[in-house]
Amino acid sequence: MRYPKFLTSSIAAYIGMSIAVVVVYMLIFMHLMVYEGQYEYATLINALYWVIASVTTVGYGDIVFMSEIGKIFSIIVQVSGIPLFFGILITLVITPWFEKTMKLPLAVKVPKKFSDHIIVCGYNPLVETLVEEFREQNTSFVIVSEDEEALRKLTKENISCIYGDPADEITLENANVNSARFLIANQSDNENANIVLTARKVSQVRIIAVAEDASKIKYLKYAGADRVISPKLVLGRFFAKKAVDPYLGVLFGTTEFFDGCRIIEFPIYSKSELIGKTLAQANVQEKTGATIVGLRKGGQLTFNINPADIIKENTVIIAVGTMEQLQRLGKLTD
């Protein structure tokens, strides 16, 4: 069971607190045993044994307090042990097991009549933008991936997806590759090469491959891709265009990735509502549908996007989206 980062820290804090409580109980136990004159039990091993037996409500009764204060302490340990022990048991064992058991199986194939659709192999921010475009144009599509966590999220959002290896013949056949409009290979260059080879082996579907490394474009074409797109190459052309003509209007300086999907550079102006906010707080994707793929800060260009990055007046946003989405983003940056 993989926990989110915030949940992992909460569990660690809870376990740390529980250990601290057990240690305190052990010290009190030894002090009270000395107080009652039961010196033979005032050891760390006996203290740990008694505390664990009491906390888990087992209570063998072979070590007991004789004084009233000792009995009161026993009651406190037993009562507090219920949430202490069972809280850990439920959090770390029962809940993960229950969630894993109750998870519905992911779809592994599309309906037989599903046709004239687009098969997208892999899921990342670029695909998020494509999904919005497909939905706006009422285009049928299916996402194929082995990322179970991402697919469960997509399933909750009613986005068509199937679980499987996109480079596997059976998976592509389950995606009805022979009746698809075209296929987009959008994973690593090596994985894309395998996807293209497999798709070309079982079908004559039109294939578009996304190349991380521009030098791999020719190899993907040799593998059978009809068209290869390199985001880095597109970005390079985009920035070259901006360098040649820095006075291009904001939405007139767009460069097209796929049909209807564009990339653009937005400077942040002094009156923009985004200034002073982190990328997470700005919530650009939910507000506009566009996806931020890069930032230029102080002349330095980066594609390592961190939700904690703060948007400042001298920040330049590089975003991907449809013309309508980018126009909405443009209003936020003005």
Side-chain angles (χ1 to χ4, degrees):
M1 179 70 181
R2 182 180 296 176
Y3 295 99
K5 189 174 292 184
F6 74 91
L7 187 57
T8 302
S9 60
S10 298
I11 293 173
Y14 184 81
I15 293 175
M17 181 194 70
S18 301
I19 293 173
V21 170
V22 169
V23 170
V24 170
Y25 283 167
M26 288 171 61
L27 294 175
I28 296 175
F29 169 86
M30 290 189 293
H31 179 76
L32 290 176
M33 281 295 164
V34 172
Y35 170 78
E36 292 188 0
Q38 301 189 62
Y39 301 106
E40 68 275 19
Y41 295 132
T43 65
L44 287 174
I45 296 299
N46 283 322
L48 179 61
Y49 165 76
W50 181 88
V51 171
I52 296 301
S54 299
V55 163
T56 56
T57 67
V58 174
Y60 293 109
D62 49 346
I63 301 177
V64 296
F65 287 104
M66 307 305 294
S67 64
E68 290 186 358
I69 189 171
K71 292 177 180 178
I72 293 173
F73 173 63
S74 298
I75 294 172
I76 294 173
V77 173
Q78 291 165 5
V79 172
S80 65
I82 296 173
L84 192 69
F85 175 74
F86 290 101
I88 293 177
L89 184 65
I90 291 173
T91 302
L92 298 182
V93 180
I94 297 177
T95 300
W97 175 84
F98 183 77
E99 288 181 352
K100 185 176 181 180
T101 303
M102 294 302 292
K103 276 183 179 178
L104 295 175
L106 292 166
V108 294
K109 64 189 307 182
V110 297
K112 290 184 179 180
K113 295 182 179 180
F114 200 61
S115 62
D116 196 33
H117 57 291
I118 297 170
I119 300 174
V120 183
C121 301
Y123 187 75
N124 57 26
L126 177 59
V127 176
E128 292 179 13
T129 303
L130 287 176
V131 166
E132 292 298 324
E133 178 67 15
F134 293 154
R135 282 180 156 180
E136 288 183 8
Q137 296 185 5
N138 293 320
T139 301
S140 297
F141 67 94
V142 61
I143 295 172
V144 182
S145 175
E146 290 184 290
D147 187 340
E148 183 176 342
E149 186 175 342
L151 292 186
R152 291 197 180 281
K153 177 184 175 183
L154 294 174
T155 301
K156 289 180 181 178
E157 297 174 1
N158 294 319
I159 295 175
S160 180
C161 57
I162 63 172
Y163 178 80
D165 179 3
D168 182 75
E169 292 182 26
I170 295 177
T171 299
L172 292 183
E173 289 172 355
N174 286 341
N176 290 359
V177 66
N178 288 305
S179 60
R181 187 185 306 181
F182 62 86
L183 177 148
I184 300 174
N186 184 41
Q187 300 198 144
S188 70
D189 290 339
N190 290 335
E191 290 172 323
N192 284 344
N194 290 330
I195 293 170
V196 172
L197 287 169
T198 303
R200 187 56 67 223
K201 179 181 178 181
V202 300
S203 172
Q204 293 303 311
V205 66
R206 180 173 170 79
I207 301 172
I208 298 175
V210 180
E212 296 176 338
D213 185 347
S215 66
K216 301 294 178 62
I217 290 177
K218 61 181 179 181
Y219 299 110
L220 289 169
K221 286 184 177 180
Y222 290 154
D226 296 286
R227 183 180 177 188
V228 182
I229 298 172
S230 171
K232 290 183 179 179
L233 191 58
V234 174
L235 283 170
R237 290 172 180 169
F238 170 74
F239 290 125
K241 184 189 297 184
K242 296 293 289 185
V244 172
D245 189 359
Y247 301 105
L248 283 171
V250 172
L251 289 183
F252 293 102
T254 60
T255 299
E256 193 167 40
F257 265 106
F258 298 105
D259 294 338
C261 184
R262 301 168 183 272
I263 182 170
I264 193 169
E265 186 179 74
F266 282 108
I268 303 297
Y269 294 101
S270 58
K271 295 183 179 180
S272 171
E273 64 181 74
L274 300 178
I275 292 178
K277 295 181 178 179
T278 64
L279 290 177
Q281 293 170 339
N283 208 12
V284 168
Q285 188 166 23
E286 288 192 15
K287 289 180 180 178
T288 68
T291 301
I292 296 176
V293 296
L295 295 174
R296 190 200 296 274
K297 298 182 291 185
Q300 298 295 318
L301 177 65
T302 178
F303 296 105
N304 295 321
I305 306 300
N306 188 328
D309 285 338
I310 297 176
I311 301 173
K312 300 179 181 179
E313 187 174 342
N314 63 344
T315 301
V316 175
I317 290 175
I318 300 149
V320 174
T322 64
M323 185 65 75
E324 292 77 13
Q325 292 169 343
L326 295 174
Q327 286 174 338
R328 288 195 290 269
L329 177 55
K331 293 179 181 178
L332 295 180
T333 61
D334 288 341

